[in-house]
Amino acid sequence: MEEKKLFNRLFEENLLNNRKLVNLNDEITDLENKFKKKYGDEIFLDYCKISDLTVEEIIECSNYSFELGMKLEKI
């Protein structure tokens, strides 16, 4: 099995067993449902897009920091 696929599979399996992540996911789902009920589908979809972009931004910042750290280690 390809390394990336194996990593993703192991990661997903372990997510289901990580109590803190499961609790966070449950809390997020609950809040999303309340938000959607209160404000409707259109605003909820905008909220989801904003959330996705925010997560993408955090990942990019993390990747940049990691890459910068690797470059600095070589100096």
Side-chain angles (χ1 to χ4, degrees), residues 32-65:
E32 286 177 339
N33 289 333
K34 288 177 183 177
F35 187 96
K36 188 175 181 180
K37 185 177 180 181
K38 186 174 183 178
Y39 297 107
D41 288 340
E42 187 176 342
I43 293 174
F44 178 72
L45 292 175
D46 289 345
Y47 157 80
C48 288
K49 183 65 177 174
I50 291 167
S51 297
D52 287 345
L53 291 171
T54 302
V55 169
E56 189 175 330
E57 181 180 40
I58 291 168
I59 291 169
E60 286 303 315
C61 287
S62 296
N63 287 339
Y64 176 75
S65 296

Side-chain angles (χ1 to χ4, degrees), residues 4-19:
K4 187 174 181 179
K5 286 182 183 178
L6 178 61
F7 173 81
N8 288 336
R9 184 172 161 202
L10 290 172
F11 184 76
E12 288 172 6
E13 287 175 10
N14 285 306
L15 282 179
L16 298 174
N17 297 317
N18 184 311
R19 180 59 23 211

